[in-house]
């Protein structure tokens, strides 16, 4: 039988049909005659409950298999999909058989309790199984899909800009160098003529320049890929590697640019709220209360346009808060 994702099983009517699923055990508990397993496969926020009734005849083999099932174990289970009497879940699986595909130790670190982000750094190989990291991964996946969906619907062509380049793209940031030279053997000045490209090469800080050349042939293109910045800045807003969207359009004016940016933001906010409802609700309840209301309000609002001159005037009204330096690359402190 083909394994079905838990997100799909949870949407099925409970008619006693046999289903097969695979996943990792979140919790295991027992009552007098019933054993309960909560299993999650990462396809959605929710786990599905598996139940085993010891009083039913012919269940000895299944019960024996369950003795080795601990929190964290990887399992494949088969059973009947039935209505669930428990609150918060419409269906559950009455176990008919279970196979342990990967055992977990008694001291498996992700138990049924809250874990700090600092602790999860110590078990980075497991943290994707937590609600927080699982939700982030699913939302990121959907947002990447949404980005492509938006630009394709607007007549844009997807362009993959080079990741290794000799261009610093207008000095967009400090660059990570890429070389095949054995740096430990170099004495004095490096001979880049002997390097792979015959010159110095770097990880890209931006695909803009490459994208612009294609925009002058295809009219509308967008890049969406990894970029790298080597600034040694240990702030919460600095990362060395990130994915960046760079649309480039021929025959657009400033108003066109502003309209595209507004449309993209609203499209992606609505995409997240519609496609990632359970994960966004989790963030709203556990990470940042009120976030869904804020995003919904932004998605439904009109974006105001302000000229550079008017923006400067607004900043000057708050001269005690901002120190304005009116030149390119100004700092707002």
């Amino acid at each position: 039988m083909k394994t079905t994702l838990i997100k799909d099983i949870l949407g099925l009517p409970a008619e006693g049909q046999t289903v097969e699923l695979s996943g990792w055990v979140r919790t295991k508990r027992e009552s007098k005659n019933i054993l309960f397993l909560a299993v999650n496969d990462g396809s959605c926020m929710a786990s599905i409950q598996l139940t085993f009734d010891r009083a039913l005849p012919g269940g000895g083999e299944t019960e024996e298999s369950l003795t080795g099932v601990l929190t964290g174990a990887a399992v494949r289970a088969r059973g009947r999909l039935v209505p669930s009497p428990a609150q918060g879940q419409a269906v559950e699986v009455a176990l008919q058989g279970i196979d342990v595909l990967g055992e977990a130790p008694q001291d498996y670190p992700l138990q049924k309790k809250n874990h700090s982000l600092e602790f999860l750094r110590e078990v980075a190989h497991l943290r994707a199984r937590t609600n927080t990291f699982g939700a982030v991964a699913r939302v990121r996946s959907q947002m990447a899909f949404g980005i492509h969906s938006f630009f394709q619907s607007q007549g844009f062509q997807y362009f993959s800009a080079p990741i290794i380049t000799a261009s610093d793209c207008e000095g967009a940031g400090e660059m990570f160098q890429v070389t095949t030279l054995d740096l430990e053997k170099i004495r004095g000045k490096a001979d880049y003529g002997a390097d792979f490209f015959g010159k110095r090469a770097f990880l890209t800080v931006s695909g803009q320049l490459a994208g612009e050349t294609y925009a002058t042939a295809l009219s509308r293109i967008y890049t969406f890929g990894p970029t790298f910045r080597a600034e040694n800045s240990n702030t919460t807003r600095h990362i060395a590697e990130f994915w960046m969207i760079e649309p480039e359009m021929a025959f657009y004016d400033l108003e066109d640019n502003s309209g595209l940016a507004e449309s993209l933001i609203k499209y992606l906010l609505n995409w997240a709220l519609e496609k990632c409802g359970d994960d966004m609700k989790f963030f709203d309840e556990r990470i940042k209360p009120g976030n869904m209301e804020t995003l919904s309000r932004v998605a439904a609002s009109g974006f105001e346009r302000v000229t550079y001159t008017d923006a400067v005037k607004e900043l000057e009204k708050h001269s005690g808060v901002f120190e304005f330096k009116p030149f390119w690359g100004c700092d707002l402190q």
Side-chain angles (χ1 to χ4, degrees):
M1 178 178 292
K2 181 181 178 181
T3 297
T4 304
L5 291 174
I6 288 174
K7 71 172 184 177
D8 296 327
I9 293 176
L10 292 172
L12 295 174
E15 299 173 343
Q17 68 271 40
T18 300
V19 295
E20 182 171 305
L21 61 98
S22 299
W24 296 271
V25 177
R26 283 284 182 89
T27 61
K28 178 182 180 181
R29 61 186 178 89
E30 302 180 46
S31 64
K32 182 177 181 180
N33 289 320
I34 308 294
L35 187 145
F36 302 91
L37 296 178
V39 175
N40 183 276
D41 65 0
S43 62
C44 61
M45 174 68 67
S47 299
I48 193 167
Q49 180 169 274
L50 314 183
T51 62
F52 175 70
D53 190 344
R54 293 190 177 96
L56 294 177
E61 183 177 346
T62 299
E63 183 169 7
E64 184 178 349
S65 300
L66 287 167
T67 59
V69 177
L70 300 175
T71 297
V75 299
R76 179 183 293 118
R78 299 166 299 285
R80 295 182 302 106
L81 189 65
V82 298
S84 177
Q87 291 185 347
Q89 55 189 27
V91 298
E92 63 185 31
V93 175
L95 269 177
Q96 296 174 324
I98 190 167
D99 300 313
V100 179
L101 305 179
E103 295 182 348
Q106 291 279 357
D107 60 350
Y108 178 75
L110 300 182
Q111 298 295 323
K112 189 179 180 181
K113 60 180 181 180
N114 291 330
H115 300 286
S116 68
L117 296 179
E118 289 76 13
F119 170 75
L120 293 178
R121 285 178 177 268
E122 301 174 10
V123 289
H125 63 297
L126 294 173
R127 62 184 181 181
R129 297 189 188 181
T130 64
N131 287 333
T132 299
F133 280 85
V136 168
R138 286 186 293 270
V139 171
R140 282 176 61 94
S141 175
Q142 275 294 334
M143 297 313 290
F145 187 21
I147 288 165
H148 288 292
S149 176
F150 172 79
F151 282 111
Q152 293 294 324
S153 72
Q154 300 296 312
F156 281 70
Q157 307 298 325
Y158 175 51
F159 169 69
S160 297
I163 294 176
I164 300 176
T165 179
S167 169
D168 70 352
C169 195
E170 302 174 354
E174 296 297 322
M175 305 178 77
F176 288 103
Q177 186 170 341
V178 177
T179 181
T180 57
L181 298 177
D182 189 343
L183 300 182
E184 294 184 356
K185 295 182 179 179
I186 294 176
R187 296 293 182 267
K189 189 175 181 180
D191 178 14
Y192 289 105
D195 206 351
F196 186 89
F197 294 105
K199 62 174 70 175
R200 296 181 73 188
F202 307 87
L203 295 177
T204 184
V205 294
S206 169
Q208 177 185 349
L209 294 183
E212 286 175 348
T213 64
Y214 274 76
T216 60
L218 303 179
S219 290
R220 303 177 188 179
I221 68 95
Y222 68 102
T223 71
F224 178 42
T227 52
F228 308 85
R229 303 289 172 89
E231 287 88 1
N232 187 20
S233 175
N234 298 315
T235 70
T236 58
R237 297 184 180 275
H238 175 81
I239 48 180
E241 176 185 349
F242 57 95
W243 279 58
M244 184 159 62
I245 310 161
E246 294 179 284
E248 299 290 344
M249 301 80 67
F251 315 113
Y252 262 50
D253 59 22
L254 184 58
E255 189 64 29
D256 295 328
N257 288 342
S258 299
L260 181 73
E262 179 177 346
S263 297
L264 172 62
I265 292 171
K266 290 181 175 180
Y267 187 95
L268 294 181
L269 291 180
N270 284 317
W271 189 280
L273 293 167
E274 293 172 9
K275 306 289 186 180
C276 311
D278 290 341
D279 293 319
M280 296 300 292
K281 183 179 179 182
F282 170 80
F283 294 144
D284 198 68
E285 294 175 349
R286 303 290 294 276
I287 306 298
K288 189 176 182 180
N291 189 51
M292 291 184 71
E293 180 182 355
T294 299
L295 298 182
S296 298
R297 187 166 60 249
V298 172
S301 300
F303 283 27
E304 295 294 332
R305 306 288 197 270
V306 59
T307 66
Y308 182 86
T309 301
D310 288 340
V312 170
K313 291 179 180 179
E314 286 299 315
L315 291 172
E316 289 175 338
K317 292 178 182 179
H318 306 279
S319 58
V321 179
F322 296 101
E323 178 186 349
F324 182 69
K325 303 176 181 179
F327 55 83
W328 181 254
C330 64
D331 294 324
L332 297 182
Q333 300 176 351

